[in-house]
């Protein structure tokens, strides 16, 4: 019989599991501690749970942790991990160290429904929703213990839902993982360590804004509605003007941050007119713009713009009081950079 994973469950659900099996409710709280705080991978590690209770649990359940099946390390220190998930599928996560910080780019789906023209994941098509267990396993299982003689990897400081898939198209599982990450009984992270990226899927974006305090990143890529519809089919269902109107009703001037993601293509969206149109689109909304170099994927007739154009574009935004930065490209040599995940 296939066993049910406990990772991905809330403390209330873990308590319900143990009560159903005839155990005291506090055993569920102990399970939460072992799974999320102590990172146990099996019941035998759980020293304060009796042998009888561990045996009862093991009849139907497993912790559910699975190690990556493959890892590739970039020359810049970025590591791409491949995980096996249900249905024989593979998904990818990207670990990005930066001095005393380390960010994990997490996948929320196998493939993606959004079919953005410039994205390798979108070209895969949609394969499956990831469960909360499959999402949080990426976080709990990275970074693994270092090889003998190797220095320890920097512990994770930040999570970005920017891997494979559209996070708000799997909102139930993503919201559950955010709850586990931020709950006192879970990992007890500040929501300011978590960013969710989206094309602007409504009404899930509103629910994310209302029910969490995580940072939000919107994939804009062009301020021109017709261009965006040609590049991003989601524009037809969720126009960027509607997304910006929704965002204008929230306060991003304090700790919560709004970012606009803008991949730059040579001769497409990298001129003065596009910069000025983006300024107009943003209006008074408090946000920062991340300018991203395009990473070419096979069969797509798009090309990265020059560094000079990116600097010019950034300077125009800065001159209008908009914080804009050119994001450093990481992991391109192992196909781990933005838009390249396609297992």
């Amino acid at each position: 019989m296939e066993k049910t994973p406990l990772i991905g469950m809330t403390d209330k659900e873990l308590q319900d599991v143990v009560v159903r099996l005839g155990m005291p409710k506090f055993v569920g709280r102990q399970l939460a501690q072992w799974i999320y705080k102590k990172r146990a991978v099996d019941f035998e590690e759980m020293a304060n749970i009796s042998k009888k209770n561990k045996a009862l649990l093991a009849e139907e359940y497993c912790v559910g942790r699975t190690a990556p099946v493959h890892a590739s390390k970039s020359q810049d220190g970025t590591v791409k991990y491949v995980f096996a998930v249900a249905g024989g599928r593979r998904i990818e996560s990207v670990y990005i160290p930066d001095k005393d910080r380390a960010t994990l780019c997490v996948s929320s789906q196998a493939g993606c429904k959004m079919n953005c023209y410039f994205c390798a994941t979108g070209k895969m098509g949609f394969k499956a929703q990831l469960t909360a267990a499959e999402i949080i396993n990426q976080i709990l299982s990275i970074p693994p213990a270092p090889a003998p003689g190797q220095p320890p990897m920097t512990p994770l400081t930040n999570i970005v839902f920017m891997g494979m898939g559209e996070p708000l198209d799997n909102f139930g599982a993503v919201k559950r993982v955010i709850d586990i990450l931020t709950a006192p009984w879970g990992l007890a992270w500040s929501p300011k360590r978590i960013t969710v990226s989206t094309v602007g899927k409504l009404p899930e974006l509103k629910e994310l804004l209302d029910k969490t305090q995580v940072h939000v990143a919107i994939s804009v890529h062009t301020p021109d509605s017709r261009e965006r519809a040609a590049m991003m089919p989601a524009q037809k269902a969720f126009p960027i003007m509607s997304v910006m109107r929704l965002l204008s009703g929230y306060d991003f001037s304090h700790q919560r941050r709004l970012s606009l993601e803008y991949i730059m293509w040579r001769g497409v969206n990298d001129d003065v007119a596009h910069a000025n149109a983006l300024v107009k689109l943003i209006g008074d909304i408090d946000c920062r713009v991340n300018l991203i170099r395009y990473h070419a994927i096979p069969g797509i007739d798009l090309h990265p713009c020059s560094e000079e154009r990116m600097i010019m574009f950034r300077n125009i935004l800065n001159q209008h009081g908009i914080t804009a930065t050119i994001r450093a490209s990481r992991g391109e040599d192992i196909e781990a950079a933005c838009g390249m995940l396609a297992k």
Side-chain angles (χ1 to χ4, degrees):
M1 180 182 76
E2 190 170 339
K3 296 182 179 181
T4 302
L6 295 178
I7 61 168
M9 289 190 185
T10 66
D11 63 336
K12 171 70 165 59
E13 289 167 335
L14 291 169
Q15 289 170 39
D16 290 344
V17 163
V18 300
V19 168
R20 186 181 64 79
L21 295 175
M23 304 175 203
K25 189 180 283 190
F26 71 80
V27 178
R29 292 192 291 270
Q30 291 174 325
L31 280 174
Q33 274 222 327
W34 280 107
I35 292 168
Y36 298 124
K37 293 189 183 298
K38 299 181 181 179
R39 308 292 182 96
V41 297
D42 61 48
F43 295 126
E44 290 309 308
E45 295 177 54
M46 302 179 184
N48 60 351
I49 297 178
S50 71
K51 285 187 177 181
K52 177 187 173 184
N53 286 342
K54 285 189 278 198
L56 279 171
L57 285 163
E59 287 178 10
E60 296 182 42
Y61 296 93
C62 61
V63 171
R65 288 273 302 278
T66 60
V69 296
H70 183 71
S72 308
K73 189 168 185 177
S74 165
Q75 59 188 6
D76 64 25
T78 298
V79 184
K80 181 169 73 172
Y81 293 99
V82 179
F83 286 91
V85 294
R89 299 181 179 90
R90 297 287 186 268
I91 58 153
E92 297 176 328
S93 308
V94 182
Y95 170 87
I96 308 165
D98 184 13
K99 299 176 183 173
D100 59 347
R101 292 163 51 94
T103 299
L104 184 68
C105 184
V106 176
S107 291
S108 54
Q109 297 178 312
C112 185
K113 297 178 188 175
M114 299 301 108
N115 193 28
C116 295
Y117 177 69
F118 47 84
C119 178
T121 309
K123 296 303 164 196
M124 291 174 60
F126 176 71
K127 306 301 181 185
Q129 300 283 25
L130 297 187
T131 65
E134 290 168 335
I135 296 172
I136 203 161
N137 180 64
Q138 298 167 64
I139 299 164
L140 294 175
S141 299
I142 292 174
Q150 295 294 312
M153 296 172 72
T154 304
L156 294 180
T157 59
N158 298 84
I159 298 294
V160 293
F161 285 88
M162 295 183 181
M164 302 171 75
E166 161 56 53
L168 298 191
D169 194 45
N170 190 14
F171 182 70
V174 168
K175 171 65 166 57
R176 175 184 288 259
V177 171
I178 291 170
D179 290 345
I180 294 168
L181 286 170
T182 57
W185 49 261
L187 275 67
W189 277 29
S190 164
K192 309 306 181 289
R193 296 169 64 181
I194 304 165
T195 301
V196 175
S197 176
T198 175
V199 298
K201 191 170 188 291
L202 306 170
E204 290 87 351
L205 176 56
K206 185 177 190 308
E207 195 171 354
L208 178 76
L209 290 164
D210 290 342
K211 294 186 176 179
T212 78
Q213 284 298 312
V214 299
H215 298 315
V216 177
I218 305 295
S219 298
V220 176
H221 308 316
T222 175
D224 184 284
S225 295
R226 284 176 295 180
E227 281 181 356
R228 194 169 187 266
M231 293 280 192
M232 303 171 65
Q235 165 70 15
K236 296 165 189 171
F238 314 113
I240 191 60
M241 287 299 297
S242 299
V243 173
M244 298 305 283
R245 274 196 297 272
L246 172 66
L247 294 168
S248 69
Y250 293 83
D251 184 3
F252 298 102
S253 62
H254 298 292
Q255 290 191 339
R256 189 180 214 180
R257 187 172 68 238
L258 170 66
S259 302
L260 304 186
E261 309 291 294
Y262 196 95
I263 296 174
M264 299 192 68
W265 302 291
R266 186 172 70 221
V268 176
N269 65 344
D270 63 344
D271 56 23
V272 172
H274 279 83
N276 288 329
L278 184 59
V279 169
K280 186 176 179 181
L281 177 70
I282 292 169
D284 295 329
I285 298 173
D286 198 303
C287 68
R288 64 180 62 192
V289 177
N290 291 321
L291 302 176
I292 304 167
R293 186 169 65 82
Y294 173 61
H295 304 102
I297 61 172
I300 301 302
D301 187 23
L302 291 169
H303 307 279
C305 76
S306 67
E307 186 75 11
E308 291 76 19
R309 295 289 268 192
M310 295 187 80
I311 292 170
M312 176 273 294
F313 203 98
R314 179 198 65 193
N315 290 347
I316 291 173
L317 296 178
N318 290 168
Q319 287 159 13
H320 284 85
I322 297 167
T323 300
T325 57
I326 298 170
R327 182 188 291 171
S329 180
R330 300 290 300 272
E332 187 173 6
D333 57 323
I334 56 169
E335 296 185 342
C338 180
M340 299 185 80
L341 302 184
K343 258 297 155 202

